[in-house]
Amino acid sequence: MEKRMNGTLVSEILYDELRAFLELKGDKPLQLVDISVGNDFGGEMYANMKKKKLEKMVGYLVESRHFDSISYDDLVSEIESINNDNKINGVMLQLPLSKELNDHERKILDHIDWRKDVDGLTTSSIGRLVVGEVSLEPCTPKGIITLLKVYGVDLVGKNVVIVNRSNIVGKPLEQLFLRENATTTICHSKTKNLSEVCSCADIVVAAMNKQEMVDSSYVKDGAIVIDVGVHKNSEGKTVGDVKFDDVYDKSSLITPPTGGVGPMTICMLAYNTAKAKYGNEVDTVLEKAIEKAKVLVK
Ligand code: NAP
């Protein structure tokens, strides 16, 4: 089996399965609203990329609602009108918000109805995930677990080190690993002897947003390495938080800086939107896609 994990291939299989499921349903296209405030160029680029992908791969209607500036009250009204609009299946709020709204980020997010919270970022979604109730799970963590399942990794009892404690990556990912009976350690910027901690792990997830920080000294022989970071190096090449060429030989499976975790994240957004509309029925779509992908990555 190729040890470079192919998130692009796996995502395409999931899109195919989702498309087939949606065609059978024969309903109108699913609708998502993407709200952004202020001028975050990186965020805008990512939002456009998501929109194009979801429209092309699963025929969703993705409406971007951009505000150069908006008051707290008006933004909350906007979110509440989306919550009450039956035609809209999911809503995303691009972070960071504008400077004026940043301090109210949590309060604003929590106005999103968790049933439409396709990024899984509200306190309700996170709480439901922790106690094991149905929720829409954050896309990057869900994508990582899906990729590991496709590559046949038995997570039971595995020692996992996640270098990140954000609400969107590290904390939900830990919950998903715990659900699979792995043993987890979360690291962050104040962790002592990080490379030593990582080098004891069966699975290392690098998401510290530090260009190529994880080299082979962080990785034990045969470990699985998941790279979440995305950077452009001085030559304009996309690199991750992991020094791919240095770590490759030691790893048993590894995600590349492009075509690894990134495409999984976006296709999980498509999955979450379908789940927002059709509920647990969509889980079988994911299971089917995993089984199909398992054969193709062998
Ligand atoms: P974030 O909120 O900035 O979190 C970064 C985390 O890394 C924090 O927990 C931070 O610790 C920790 N950290 C920073 N420097 C460290 C160091 N020197 N040693 C150990 N830990 C360190 O970022 P995020 O939103 O979670 O995203 C993380 C990365 O993933 C970013 O590069 C982002 O672009 C990328 N991302 C990629 C995808 C994808 O689909 N590929 C999706 C989402 C995010 P503290 O908590 O102590 O500050």
Side-chain angles (χ1 to χ4, degrees):
M1 186 194 283
E2 164 75 87
K3 68 178 177 178
R4 189 184 168 107
M5 298 168 95
N6 192 340
T8 304
L9 175 69
V10 176
S11 71
E12 278 165 6
I13 295 164
L14 180 55
Y15 286 127
D16 287 348
E17 288 301 316
L18 273 173
R19 240 184 354 254
F21 171 82
L22 295 167
E23 271 166 25
L24 265 181
K25 288 284 174 194
D27 293 332
K28 285 190 183 139
L30 300 189
Q31 285 193 44
L32 269 172
V33 176
D34 194 354
I35 302 177
S36 57
V37 184
N39 300 310
D40 175 14
F41 183 63
E44 202 182 311
M45 265 179 38
Y46 179 53
N48 285 336
M49 196 170 83
K50 282 190 298 194
K51 180 175 159 71
K52 275 197 193 146
K53 197 80 190 173
L54 296 185
E55 288 177 347
K56 181 174 168 212
M57 301 306 285
V58 274
Y60 291 179
L61 298 176
V62 184
E63 184 194 344
S64 305
R65 293 191 192 170
H66 177 78
F67 303 92
D68 287 332
S69 127
I70 187 169
S71 69
Y72 173 90
D73 288 341
D74 287 349
L75 182 53
V76 168
S77 305
E78 188 71 27
I79 291 172
E80 281 176 350
S81 81
I82 293 170
N83 287 341
N84 296 325
D85 185 340
N86 291 334
K87 294 189 294 305
I88 299 172
N89 307 102
V91 59
M92 296 168 285
L93 184 62
Q94 293 301 318
L95 302 177
L97 293 167
S98 59
K99 248 196 264 151
E100 307 77 58
L101 294 174
N102 249 349
D103 289 348
H104 308 290
E105 181 180 295
R106 175 62 28 206
K107 259 171 79 184
I108 293 169
L109 271 174
D110 284 343
H111 281 278
I112 298 175
D113 184 334
W114 67 266
R115 294 166 195 84
K116 296 191 180 188
D117 177 18
V118 287
D119 277 332
L121 284 179
T122 62
T123 304
S124 299
S125 298
I126 295 169
R128 294 179 73 88
L129 174 63
V130 173
V131 298
E133 286 291 318
V134 170
S135 64
L136 300 173
E137 293 154 3
C139 300
T140 301
K142 183 81 179 169
I144 291 171
I145 297 290
T146 301
L147 206 48
L148 290 166
K149 286 188 176 169
V150 167
Y151 280 81
V153 179
D154 178 10
L155 295 173
V156 177
K158 288 280 187 307
N159 285 321
V160 180
V161 172
I162 302 165
V163 193
N164 181 298
R165 59 171 159 182
S166 72
N167 289 333
I168 190 160
V169 180
K171 287 179 194 164
L173 182 57
E174 179 179 44
Q175 293 303 318
L176 296 185
F177 272 120
L178 287 174
R179 191 193 288 171
E180 301 293 333
N181 294 314
T183 303
T184 55
T185 304
I186 291 252
C187 297
H188 45 78
S189 63
K190 306 288 185 290
T191 299
K192 294 203 171 83
N193 306 322
L194 184 65
S195 63
E196 214 173 284
V197 178
C198 290
S199 65
C200 296
D202 301 312
I203 301 174
V204 179
V205 180
M208 62 278 263
N209 200 14
K210 295 277 177 261
Q211 188 173 317
E212 294 188 316
M213 182 171 154
V214 172
D215 62 19
S216 56
S217 69
Y218 285 64
V219 177
K220 79 171 178 188
D221 274 327
I224 296 168
V225 181
I226 306 291
D227 190 355
V228 182
V230 186
H231 311 271
K232 280 258 183 271
N233 72 8
S234 53
E235 290 146 27
K237 189 178 159 207
T238 301
V239 295
D241 285 349
V242 175
K243 224 177 213 169
F244 185 83
D245 292 341
D246 190 41
V247 170
Y248 184 82
D249 283 345
K250 265 185 153 180
S251 65
S252 59
L253 283 170
I254 181 166
T255 61
T258 53
V261 173
M264 292 304 298
T265 298
I266 300 180
C267 86
M268 284 303 154
L269 190 57
Y271 164 83
N272 271 353
T273 308
K275 188 155 174 161
K277 161 100 178 163
Y278 297 107
N280 289 345
E281 218 184 322
V282 186
D283 292 347
T284 53
V285 177
L286 181 59
E287 281 155 24
K288 248 168 106 180
I290 290 174
E291 289 314 309
K292 281 199 176 165
K294 269 184 181 171
V295 178
L296 289 172
V297 300
K298 265 193 185 141

